[in-house]
Amino acid sequence: MGSILVTGGAGYIGSHTVRVLLAQGAQVVVLDSLVTGHKEAVPAEVPFYLGDICDAGLVKTIVESQEVEAVIHFAARSLVGESMAKPDLYFYENTAKTNLFVSNLLQLGVNKIVFSSTAAVYGLPETVPISEESPTSPINPYGLSKLMIEASFHWLEKAYGLKWVALRYFNAAGASLDGSIGEEHLPETHLIPLVLKAALGQRDAIQVFGTDYNTLDGTCIRDYIHVLDLAEAHVLALKALDQQSNSGVYNVGTGQGYSVLQVITSAKKVTGIDIPVVEVARRSGDPDVLIAKVAKIEKTFGLKTRYSDLETIIASAWRWHQNNPDGYKSKS
Ligand code: UFG
């Protein structure tokens, strides 16, 4: 049995996926630049390579010495706001580097890849729940940087037999159940970590961005999926890759949405803290409702989410934040 190369395995979703793979007996190798990842998040027994996905020599060394047979590719920049300010960075880091990386993998005889894509490829959806057939029209460079890779895979499949799955994540959330690894972005922009930082008193309040959306309580609705369920989706996708017919794009969510106010109410209940809330203006570029249609991934890969109820998501994230109020010790 060969090993699975996980790029970005020191990042939020990558590090949880590494643990799920190990628990299922897989051989795992991590390649991470630690620009946004955390070495501490990678178990000591996993071979770790510090470096960049576009370092062809390093990739060759890893593939040959570790007998890599498939890749899960997380390594990327993932902040929507940053992508608006620096689109060139996103097209270089996410699109150009992935193209080079995959081209090198194919030359080395590795033709199976599970790729981190995003619901941001859909932009402002015309209908919800959003199916994989919905039009793609990203409204930020982050979404476009990922969509271009999906499109390139289609042609790499035709030309070289690439077997690929692009997982379009909705809102990844939560932490490992023991609270030992979790979510830390610098800067943090995501709702659940910010709510819990307010609960810890590290922020004065949680700001609610807009209360005049076309939803039941006026705040935006998102489809939150526990990071462990998301991790499981990668493992199932990997198993399914031996059949070429499974190549393609798959939504990963729960099919159920919660509003910003529902998330805050649940966080108050889980933490027992009356978290201060401030209503402010809308953040630009936020669609009213983003909910995934999940029939395709459920039917094809048999994904069943186990941890994605709001309470389990928030309780696990709360354990992580309480155990690690300053996040990871090393900032890389
Ligand atoms: N929100 C607040 N206050 C905050 C932070 C967020 O009210 O302090 C709101 C946002 O306006 C949004 C919701 O909480 O309505 C969720 O916001 P997040 O920033 O947590 O997540 P997004 O839905 O904006 O983004 C997620 C991923 C992106 C991905 C996008 C796809 O984090 O990487 O979904 O649509 F691009």
Side-chain angles (χ1 to χ4, degrees):
M1 187 181 70
S3 57
I4 311 301
L5 170 59
V6 180
T7 73
Y12 172 43
I13 303 167
S15 60
H16 287 82
T17 304
V18 165
R19 294 206 182 186
V20 171
L21 285 165
L22 291 176
Q24 298 191 12
Q27 303 266 10
V28 183
V29 190
V30 167
L31 167 62
D32 199 300
S33 67
L34 297 184
V35 171
T36 57
H38 306 275
K39 176 82 176 18
E40 281 167 79
V42 182
E45 72 262 31
V46 173
F48 178 85
Y49 291 85
L50 176 65
D52 202 287
I53 56 165
C54 70
D55 181 339
L58 179 60
V59 170
K60 185 169 192 287
T61 301
I62 299 170
V63 167
E64 288 175 353
S65 66
Q66 301 288 338
E67 297 177 13
V68 170
E69 64 171 27
V71 174
I72 306 184
H73 176 35
F74 293 100
R77 303 294 177 113
S78 64
L79 297 175
V80 170
E82 184 183 53
S83 82
M84 298 292 282
K86 299 177 185 170
D88 48 338
L89 180 73
Y90 276 67
F91 298 137
Y92 178 61
E93 289 290 333
N94 292 1
T95 316
K97 282 188 178 179
T98 296
N99 180 243
L100 195 61
F101 175 55
V102 175
S103 173
N104 285 326
L105 289 175
L106 287 165
Q107 280 181 31
L108 293 164
V110 179
N111 73 341
K112 285 186 253 177
I113 187 162
V114 178
F115 171 63
S116 298
S117 188
T118 170
V121 300
Y122 297 114
L124 301 171
E126 283 158 21
T127 51
V128 278
I130 306 167
S131 83
E132 290 83 351
E133 282 76 44
S134 302
T136 49
S137 183
I139 56 165
N140 52 60
Y142 170 62
L144 181 58
S145 74
K146 296 282 187 170
L147 184 61
M148 287 194 285
I149 288 299
E150 289 184 359
S152 77
F153 282 175
H154 172 79
W155 297 103
L156 296 176
E157 178 180 351
K158 282 188 191 300
Y160 307 116
L162 181 71
K163 296 176 178 185
W164 62 282
V165 164
L167 297 177
R168 293 176 171 171
Y169 310 157
F170 281 65
N171 288 60
S176 67
L177 301 182
D178 63 4
S180 60
I181 55 172
E183 183 170 13
E184 183 184 347
H185 298 103
L186 296 172
E188 189 54 78
T189 59
H190 295 91
L191 177 64
I192 292 175
L194 290 175
V195 173
L196 297 177
K197 282 176 183 293
L200 282 174
Q202 295 179 348
R203 303 174 71 91
D204 294 340
I206 179 69
Q207 296 186 321
V208 175
F209 296 146
T211 52
D212 57 351
Y213 285 96
N214 187 19
T215 61
L216 223 56
D217 64 18
T219 65
C220 289
I221 292 179
R222 293 289 178 273
D223 183 338
Y224 297 91
I225 178 161
H226 196 288
V227 66
L228 289 174
D229 287 329
L230 191 48
E232 181 67 19
H234 293 78
V235 178
L236 293 174
L238 205 57
K239 286 182 185 151
L241 267 187
D242 286 322
Q243 294 163 32
Q244 190 94 41
S245 60
N246 290 332
S247 285
V249 299
Y250 294 80
N251 287 340
V252 203
T254 66
Q256 157 132 34
Y258 295 102
S259 73
V260 172
L261 290 180
Q262 284 175 319
V263 169
I264 295 172
T265 302
S266 178
K268 286 182 180 177
K269 188 168 158 232
V270 167
T271 62
I273 296 168
D274 190 16
I275 304 162
V277 177
V278 182
E279 293 179 0
V280 298
R282 289 181 175 205
R283 185 174 71 175
S284 72
D286 280 337
D288 300 46
V289 182
L290 289 176
I291 297 176
K293 206 168 198 172
V294 290
K296 185 176 177 188
I297 195 160
E298 285 179 353
K299 191 159 171 270
T300 316
F301 299 160
L303 178 67
K304 287 189 189 70
T305 55
R306 287 192 288 163
Y307 307 106
S308 294
D309 59 284
L310 199 48
E311 200 161 316
T312 304
I313 286 176
I314 294 177
S316 61
W318 180 230
R319 219 165 287 134
W320 154 253
H321 283 279
Q322 279 186 303
N323 291 351
N324 305 274
D326 301 316
Y328 287 103
K329 285 177 198 72
S330 55
K331 287 304 156 199
S332 68

